[in-house]
């Protein structure tokens, strides 16, 4: 009789573990979808380090000056 009770408890524990894995997987997929949607909507909202931002601005200014020089050669 004890052996049957032990087997039933082990079977119930196994079912519980499988159920928890299933719900965990579902929750993980739902969270990943939400994060993917958030990343798509916030893709342009990032900040550069101040030094990188300065370098980027310098490069843009150089490009603009080069384009002006190419359009109006002396």
């Amino acid at each position: 009789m004890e052996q049957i009770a032990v087997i039933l408890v082990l079977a119930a524990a196994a079912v519980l573990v499988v159920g928890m894995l299933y719900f965990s997987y579902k929750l993980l997929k739902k969270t990943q979808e939400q994060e993917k949607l958030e990343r798509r909507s916030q893709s342009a909202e990032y900040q550069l380090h101040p030094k990188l931002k300065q370098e980027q601005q310098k490069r843009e200014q150089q490009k603009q000056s080069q384009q002006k020089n190419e359009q109006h050669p002396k």
Side-chain angles (χ1 to χ4, degrees):
M1 190 69 165
E2 287 181 25
Q3 292 177 345
I4 294 175
V6 170
I7 291 172
L8 289 176
V9 169
L10 288 175
V15 169
L16 182 67
V17 168
V18 170
M20 290 178 73
L21 285 172
Y22 172 74
F23 286 114
S24 174
Y25 180 77
K26 279 180 54 176
L27 185 62
L28 175 66
K29 287 299 178 183
K30 183 179 177 183
T31 304
Q32 286 177 339
E33 285 294 321
Q34 288 175 347
E35 287 179 355
K36 185 191 291 185
L37 292 173
E38 288 175 5
R39 274 188 260 131
R40 285 182 185 169
S41 65
Q42 297 177 353
S43 61
E45 296 179 18
Y46 61 90
Q47 291 184 346
L48 290 176
H49 188 276
K51 287 184 180 181
L52 290 175
K53 193 171 185 178
Q54 287 175 349
E55 288 180 17
Q56 188 179 33
Q57 289 173 347
K58 286 180 184 178
R59 287 183 186 148
E60 288 175 2
Q61 289 174 353
Q62 288 174 352
K63 281 184 181 179
Q64 289 175 356
S65 65
Q66 286 176 355
Q67 288 176 352
K68 286 180 182 178
N69 290 338
E70 289 174 0
Q71 291 176 355
H72 304 290
K74 292 182 181 179

